[in-house]
Amino acid sequence: MDLFMNLALNGLATGMLIFLLAAGLTLIFGLMDVLNFAHGGLFAWGAYSGLWIYSKTDSFLIGIIGAIVTGFILGIVTEKWIIKPVYGNHVQQILITLGLMMVLSEMLKVIWGPNQLTASPPDYLKGSWEIGEINLIKYRVFIIIVGLLVFAGVQFMLKKTKIGLVVQAGVMNKEMVQALGINIQRVFMFVFMIGAGMAALGGVLLGPYSGVIHAGMGMEFAILAFIVVVIGGMGNFKGSVLAAILVGLSGSFMAYYVPDLSLAVNMLLMAVVLIIRPQGLFSAKG
Amino acid sequence: MNKFADKRPAIIFLLFILLLFLLPFVYESRNLLILLTQIFIFSIFAMSYDLLIGFTGIVSFGHAMYFGLGSYSIGIFMKRFEPDMTYFLWAVLTTIALTAIVSFIVGLLTLRLKSHFYAMLTMSLAGLFLVLAEKWRTLTFGNDGFTFRVPELFIDRTNFYLLCLIGMAAVFFGLRRFVNSPLGRVLQAIRENEQRTASLGFQVLHYKIAASVVSGVLAGIAGILYAISLRYVNTSVFSMDITLDALLMTIIGGVGTLAGPIIGAGIIEFAHDWLTGLAKEHWIFERWIIFFGIIYILVVMFFPQGIVGTLRKIAWKRKKKSYPVKSEQKAAG
């Protein structure tokens, strides 16, 4: 039971981190029809900048906020300078965002050196709670809570606010939204900013969770996030959280029982989904 | 595109090859020889990549998997069996078979998808091969890799240089034939307008798979040569960096042309060599890829046709027929 709970908790925490990355990807894709290959780079930038601020100020909270702000800034710059000039051309978008990914991860090495950095959670999130036989590691619970809060927050924004309404309408029909006199470019930038901020948040949370961060981790998590986005359905926000939990759990259980196959299982899942249901497992439209 | 009918580029290229062929006999420099060998190998790889991205309009981010399959095939054959020509040929045949099968399956599964999905899926598949090579330690020795002996004929650097040069020339002329064949014309039609090609009655998927298989096999051959040149293979042959190299060379050199990838490979390899030399003076040059990343982004944004394509456009505008295969001058700069 203890083992099962531990694996489940681990899977959920990883799932939440993947969700933070995949949610931005799927929103950006749904609204702007851009698949951002540089999203993993934003994730890694969140991790490095957040932990750097954390180490300077000794406050994990300020570190997290710093990471999110970094994400916002990078998101705006990326949208304005990199994505906007190539709207509408898929091949160019794919190529340019991959180039940005390359530059972002090399920049990390230039600024913080090529070696991996260690990170540990702040004192109040160290250790674990013991409930009966079950051992709950505090930091994992914290990640899960943050993930759920972000999910609830974005869900609230999408459903209950005006900008959320515009975003949802934009996913359905961009031209119509524009025809109704809404500046869709501003909405694009907003969504890109939010997506980048979520990715950066995921990155900074990952640091103390895995203990080390390195420039290549953006790519590793980006691949998982792509799998999640495909399984959940491109542009489907609710699907992405379910798929992220699925991928996180299957990864954590597989890593324990058949470690060599853990990535392969997720890949296989994605291949099957792409062949049988290319619109995603959780997509409402049949 | 009538430019292909023109015989002049082929003659210039042939002269260029002849010059390079004579080089090792008149100029003794081991370093230059090794560098040029690398350029030839990566030219083959980049041309195979250009067949997908430039001629068919498919963006693959997993090209390293074919490269790696070739490298590991030759490595394992040379390590497990005798390093002689018989087993070299066996390794080549294995590579061709493996890359053909893998690229066929990958193409069958993924090429019906939109470009985003294809790029994403090939990227993940290459990641899967990387993990496989790391985990299957009994065969691949994991991340550490292994060294192996090569057939006697290839021990001499000059011989191997000539082999790679001939290989590059063969691939260049072979692909030239290929892209000008009826099949290649259909591929270019798919690049220009997929729906229209389909509505003309062509089975787009079949053509795309054919391009993917040819490209995969050639990438595998480049992988073989690469492993022989290092006499060592490890998991880095499956890494994203290899795909990125091909991407940089093709995009900067010029997509949709065959001279482009060769020029791109020349520029990148020479610059790599030069910048790593500069790393002694300032550490930032160790991160040389960042300069190319920025150049690459600018090229995608402003000169999506790369060096060769842009020069060609200028030449057309002036209504003069000139074909830019002057890679040596540009590469040195």
Side-chain angles (χ1 to χ4, degrees), chain A residues 103 105-114, chain B residues 283-284 287 290:
Chain A
V103 172
S105 51
E106 283 299 312
M107 283 290 279
L108 283 177
K109 292 182 194 163
V110 170
I111 298 174
W112 283 286
Chain B
W283 58 271
I284 194 142
R287 305 256 71 86
I290 201 164

Side-chain angles (χ1 to χ4, degrees), chain B residues 121-301:
Chain B
L121 211 79
T122 46
M123 182 192 242
S124 325
L125 277 173
L128 196 64
F129 270 98
L130 178 63
V131 172
L132 191 73
E134 261 167 27
K135 300 282 180 189
W136 197 350
R137 299 191 71 90
T138 49
L139 193 66
T140 64
F141 297 90
N143 200 13
D144 303 332
F146 57 90
T147 56
F148 55 88
R149 287 180 299 148
V150 295
E152 252 171 65
L153 186 64
F154 303 143
I155 291 177
D156 181 38
R157 288 282 170 195
T158 315
N159 281 349
F160 188 60
Y161 168 91
L162 295 178
L163 176 81
C164 291
L165 178 64
I166 293 167
M168 180 182 81
V171 170
F172 179 85
F173 285 109
L175 277 180
R176 213 172 108 88
R177 285 292 300 255
F178 184 77
V179 298
N180 287 317
S181 69
L183 199 159
R185 295 281 179 185
V186 176
L187 293 180
Q188 291 176 44
I190 292 172
R191 174 192 66 192
E192 295 301 328
N193 192 333
E194 192 171 334
Q195 272 96 22
R196 192 173 290 173
T197 316
S199 62
L200 282 173
F202 292 104
Q203 280 285 347
V204 169
L205 183 66
H206 296 181
Y207 286 94
K208 279 185 172 177
I209 290 176
S212 159
V213 170
V214 172
S215 166
V217 170
L218 290 178
I221 304 247
I224 294 180
L225 295 174
Y226 181 72
I228 295 179
S229 79
L230 295 183
R231 296 170 197 181
Y232 167 76
V233 57
N234 77 346
T235 49
S236 70
V237 290
F238 278 121
S239 72
M240 192 70 204
D241 294 348
I242 297 282
T243 308
L244 284 177
D245 276 344
L247 194 62
L248 287 176
M249 290 165 185
T250 315
I251 298 284
I252 292 177
V255 288
T257 63
L258 288 171
I262 297 177
I263 293 173
I267 294 177
I268 300 245
E269 288 292 331
F270 265 112
H272 179 188
D273 191 61
W274 180 58
L275 289 173
T276 35
L278 281 182
K280 288 182 208 105
E281 287 164 37
H282 196 284
W283 58 271
I284 194 142
F285 292 112
E286 251 172 62
R287 305 256 71 86
W288 61 277
I289 198 113
I290 201 164
F291 301 116
F292 277 104
I294 293 166
I295 293 174
Y296 164 89
I297 290 180
L298 293 176
V299 168
V300 171
M301 241 187 245

Side-chain angles (χ1 to χ4, degrees), chain A residues 82-184:
Chain A
I82 307 284
I83 311 270
K84 201 178 258 178
V86 292
Y87 267 129
N89 186 332
H90 281 164
V91 171
Q92 263 185 316
Q93 276 167 7
I94 295 173
L95 294 177
I96 209 162
T97 51
L98 191 76
L100 182 67
M101 173 79 203
M102 188 159 53
V103 172
L104 281 178
S105 51
E106 283 299 312
M107 283 290 279
L108 283 177
K109 292 182 194 163
V110 170
I111 298 174
W112 283 286
N115 301 322
Q116 54 185 25
L117 305 177
T118 54
S120 63
D123 287 332
Y124 52 90
L125 290 173
K126 270 183 191 150
S128 55
W129 291 298
E130 306 234 350
I131 302 169
E133 283 177 30
I134 300 163
N135 205 357
L136 292 177
I137 294 171
K138 281 185 192 169
Y139 192 73
R140 292 184 189 166
V141 178
F142 170 72
I143 291 181
I144 296 170
I145 293 171
V146 173
L148 290 175
L149 282 177
V150 170
F151 173 70
V154 175
Q155 194 66 10
F156 175 81
M157 185 202 81
L158 284 176
K159 295 278 182 220
K160 302 283 178 196
T161 61
K162 179 143 186 284
I163 181 96
L165 196 71
V166 173
V167 171
Q168 279 193 311
V171 171
M172 273 183 197
N173 191 336
K174 277 189 278 288
E175 288 76 19
M176 196 67 197
V177 173
Q178 256 179 318
L180 291 172
I182 288 159
N183 186 352
I184 197 101

